[in-house]
Amino acid sequence: MTSPWCPRPGRVVCVGETMAALTPDPPRPLADAGTVRLSVAGAESNVAMFLADHKIPVSWLSALGDDPLGRRVRTTVANAGVDVSQVRTDPHRPTGLLVKDPGPGGTRVHYYRRGSAASALGPGLLDQEPVTTAALVHLTGITPALSASCRSLVTQALAVPADERPYAVSFDVNHRAALWPDGTAASVLRELADRADVVFVGLDEAQGLWGADVTVPGIRELLPHPRIVVVKDGARAATALTAEGMRTVPALRTTVVEPVGAGDAFAAGFLAGLLRGTTTVRALRLGHITAVSALQVTGDHGPLPDPAEIERLLGLSAGAWERLNELRVDA
């Protein structure tokens, strides 16, 4: 089996906002919670932390308020092995905050991020370290919804044709409806995603944006230019569409403690496999394994299985992989 296209060796730079997060612990509706847990939450820093867990050199690039929550965020991301040396401290704007509200129908997330430090990010940072020497820059569809300057940042990062960029770009669509009140999300996110080298999108997410009848091959028709399009179908499977064809790997069964963050973990696992030059199937498997680590904790970032166990899982036959019972990761 051939390996997919992969970026050149080097550092990954994940760009985007990370907030302080309050989560009922144990998970229950916020109105009934007796205690809450303070953690951090941000799609791009989640990816960065899981990449660091996989021993991929990675930096997180953002801005934080000059406040205790900002210091908590910086320390948490740094302690995961991520370079945060270029994260800016903004003395005039606060660190964003989110509050999770778990319930029988899923987890609702309430954001308090308007006017945050990260919302003032702009395209100027693309001309600075660590972006200028990155092998891969990871972006999401959250950032262009935060402000006009943030949208300019993402648009400019993707404006140069893929073959002419000094770095590859991965883009997780990550549609957050509450951040797009003007109804422009479908067209903007499709245009941005189609300029990236690697795209991650959920099947239900794509159907909500681009039509309820959109299929996995249909998503590829909507996004013809990326080198790799990865479509996540919840707890069922994930499919990668590459120049080598279409590969689908079933998801792993596991006990779900809290689902938010699993998509970021999957993206990090897939990118780690891609950066190592592995096959598409092994990269998809590494995505699923990493997602389990997020699903089994109340926060967004949980421990990976032992490296030897990861290698065992990656080496299973297709039939043995499908027959796996519940995967649990011990903290």
Side-chain angles (χ1 to χ4, degrees):
M1 185 179 296
T2 59
S3 297
W5 165 88
C6 64
R8 64 175 173 82
R11 179 169 294 273
V12 178
V13 177
C14 300
V15 182
E17 180 173 37
T18 293
M19 296 164 287
L22 295 177
T23 309
D25 192 7
R28 61 187 306 170
L30 184 63
D32 301 326
T35 59
V36 294
R37 176 176 177 267
L38 177 63
S39 60
V40 305
E44 300 84 2
S45 62
N46 286 342
V47 172
M49 289 190 285
F50 277 114
L51 283 170
D53 290 341
H54 284 297
K55 311 304 180 187
I56 302 295
V58 58
S59 298
W60 171 56
L61 191 56
S62 188
L64 296 165
D66 186 12
D67 48 41
L69 294 180
R71 289 186 281 278
R72 177 69 171 258
V73 169
R74 185 187 296 269
T75 298
T76 300
V77 178
N79 285 346
V82 178
D83 170 39
V84 299
S85 61
Q86 300 302 311
V87 174
R88 184 169 59 87
T89 299
D90 189 326
H92 306 296
R93 297 179 178 86
T95 302
L97 174 70
L98 70 80
V99 181
K100 294 183 180 181
D101 184 15
T107 298
R108 295 186 63 191
V109 180
H110 302 272
Y111 296 102
Y112 304 89
R113 68 199 310 176
R114 187 183 301 273
S116 69
S119 71
L121 294 173
L125 63 77
L126 298 173
D127 300 322
Q128 305 169 11
E129 285 282 5
V131 175
T132 53
T133 57
L136 174 71
V137 173
H138 180 72
L139 303 165
T140 79
I142 298 170
T143 303
L146 297 181
S147 67
S149 64
C150 283
R151 188 174 300 190
S152 295
L153 160 62
V154 178
T155 300
Q156 188 164 315
L158 289 162
V160 179
D163 291 338
E164 300 175 23
R165 284 195 291 259
Y167 44 76
V169 178
S170 59
F171 184 83
D172 192 330
V173 171
N174 245 328
H175 177 225
R176 298 290 187 268
L179 299 178
W180 294 88
D182 57 1
T184 62
S187 58
V188 172
L189 292 175
R190 179 182 173 188
E191 180 180 355
L192 293 173
D194 198 38
R195 296 178 182 179
D197 295 281
V198 183
V199 174
F200 299 94
V201 64
L203 179 59
D204 57 346
E205 180 178 45
Q207 290 170 340
L209 282 168
W210 303 316
D213 59 347
V214 171
T215 62
V216 172
I219 293 172
R220 186 47 151 167
E221 293 176 7
L222 290 168
L223 304 174
H225 294 110
R227 304 175 194 269
I228 301 173
V229 174
V230 179
V231 182
K232 301 166 289 180
D233 189 9
R236 289 172 287 277
T239 299
L241 302 107
T242 75
E244 289 73 41
M246 186 168 71
R247 301 285 186 272
T248 299
V249 173
L252 292 166
R253 291 179 289 276
T254 190
T255 299
V256 177
V257 173
E258 213 283 318
V260 177
D264 305 325
F266 179 93
F270 183 88
L271 290 173
L274 187 67
L275 288 158
R276 292 171 181 162
T278 191
T279 65
T280 303
V281 167
R282 285 175 67 96
L284 288 168
R285 286 188 179 186
L286 195 56
H288 287 312
I289 292 166
T290 311
V292 166
S293 299
L295 290 168
Q296 294 186 169
V297 295
T298 56
D300 293 353
H301 179 231
L304 292 176
D306 180 86
E309 175 64 3
I310 291 176
E311 284 304 312
R312 185 188 73 82
L313 293 168
L314 293 177
L316 292 174
S317 67
W321 175 272
E322 292 192 31
R323 291 191 298 271
L324 275 175
N325 291 320
E326 180 178 7
L327 177 64
R328 296 191 60 82
V329 181
D330 294 326

